[in-house]
Amino acid sequence: MFWQVIKFLLLLLLGAVLGYLLSGSSSSGAGLGLFLVAISWLIFEQYKRANLLRWLQNPDFNVRPTKVGDLETIVDKVIRLQRAQEKLNEQSVQRLNDFLSAIQASPNGVMLLDAELRIEWCNQTAAQHLGIDMERDLLQLIPNLVRDPVFSQYLREERAGEEIVIQARTSRPESPRKISLQLFRYGEGRRLLLSRDITQIEQAEVMRRDFVANVSHEIRTPLTVLAGFIETLLTLPVTKEESQGYLELMAQQSTRMQTLVNDLLTLSKLEGSPVPSKSEWTPIMVLWQQCEQEARSLSKLLYSAQPQTLVFEIDESAHEFEIAGSRNELLSAMTNLVTNAVRYTPEGGSINVKLIRQVEAGFEFSVEDTGPGIAPEHLPRLTERFYRVDRSRSRESGGTGLGLAIVKHVAQRHDAQLNISSQLGKGSRFALRIPLERLRKVL
Ligand code: ADP
């Protein structure tokens, strides 16, 4: 600025001197020179400003304006400011994108609504939960899109912060899905709608309730019988034979309770303990022999009049192998399958237990019986806790309804597969496939 003024004054001086000399040393000549220089300076300044203004009105920051003279410094400053602004914008956009990606990655749904309840933005999870198409439904009113009456009432009553549960759009009668929704206010009248798939939590809660009800029911029945006999023995005069008979029945009921509690403890251990390591090895023959022994003695106990035919067939190479995992768990799974076959096959029936080597796929332990068989609709639910096809048949033979649940857990914990096939009226086949990675040759 300072140099501009000096430059201007020098030019004025030059104009005055030139005017003075050219006019033959007249003072009016000097004045004219001064005036002409001042006018030219002004016109030139206006010209530069006009060029600069034209560029500023529609600036292309990659092409510098021409003919702006010393106003170049302003151009430099504008370009520098613009570059800094662009960088800031880029950073802000990047931060916004990171933020949106984080919300997109959330397993919960997030939706932003304006003051009129129009959808401003939502992540894919929320779109899925509420059946929204973000391209089609952007800026649509959420009450028009989600027509669940519980949700409509929730919006009407403005119970912000409170949680409600509605059916997911993808919910089907055969696979119901539940979504929890929570609305929060923010900014100027805006709303944040959070959604969460709580199907599994609800299912777990239903399972927990069913489990408690089942256990209570299973324990209450033998307890009632026991209490009845105790009362009879305490209050009524009974003969020695009668009391003997009562005590035997009481012993039966207490054994039933014991079996139930043992199975419950086994299940809870299976569910709560880490997967058995591959450092404990048990020879296959040890499991096999113990299993055969238990099956034969149970069969003898239950069907002494008309014995069942029990055939045990084992691959020749089996004695060379050991299985990695928990010996108790494996034994419990194998004996559960054979004792089930013994219990459910009527007297005179036959049971075929096999352990077959499957090249490339380990061993298959299978139990085939000529029992009543199971209708196809029951097959997928057999391994659920307390699921029984025939309750009284199960109880009569000392069943707890937990055996196959235990087998399923043991199989999962040992990378084994449980396959069940059955034909009503013909018999059933339960097979456990033990994979190669759980086997090794006896050292
Ligand atoms: P339970 O203690 O009642 O036998 P499980 O979990 O072992 O319980 O078996 C579940 C149900 O599966 C049984 O109640 C029974 O109805 C059916 N089941 C199991 N094994 C057999 C079998 N070998 N033949 C027919 N039904 C069977």
Side-chain angles (χ1 to χ4, degrees), residues 277-383:
S277 77
K278 291 189 184 168
S279 56
E280 185 187 335
W281 292 91
T282 307
I284 286 187
M285 290 312 287
V286 170
L287 298 171
W288 177 258
Q289 279 157 2
Q290 232 164 313
C291 187
E292 179 169 359
Q293 212 177 332
E294 284 202 33
R296 289 198 188 281
S297 48
L298 181 69
S299 179
K300 214 176 277 171
L301 187 78
L302 296 178
Y303 310 100
S304 49
Q306 220 185 321
Q308 294 172 323
T309 313
L310 263 68
V311 181
F312 280 79
E313 264 176 65
I314 187 162
D315 190 284
E316 271 178 12
S317 66
H319 68 274
E320 296 171 15
F321 284 91
E322 292 179 319
I323 302 183
S326 155
R327 176 187 293 211
N328 287 341
E329 287 183 23
L330 289 165
L331 189 62
S332 150
M334 288 164 76
T335 47
N336 254 309
L337 293 184
V338 282
T339 52
N340 268 359
V342 170
R343 283 168 45 227
Y344 290 106
T345 305
E347 46 187 10
S350 54
I351 293 153
N352 225 315
V353 186
K354 285 185 191 160
L355 188 69
I356 290 174
R357 178 87 201 271
Q358 295 185 313
V359 189
E360 308 279 320
F363 277 96
E364 185 190 67
F365 172 77
S366 66
V367 183
E368 213 170 334
D369 63 48
T370 57
I374 303 158
E377 67 268 22
H378 295 295
L379 292 180
R381 300 196 58 191
L382 282 189
T383 55

Side-chain angles (χ1 to χ4, degrees), residues 8-9 24 48 63 70 108 117 123 131 153 200 206 222 224 243 265 284 324 374 381 400 404 411 415 438:
F8 179 58
L9 290 176
K48 287 188 302 182
V63 182
D70 55 303
N108 294 335
L117 298 177
N123 66 359
Q153 193 182 357
Q200 277 182 347
V206 170
T224 313
S243 80
L265 285 175
I284 286 187
I374 303 158
R381 300 196 58 191
T400 59
L404 289 180
D415 315 309
R438 284 265 166 192

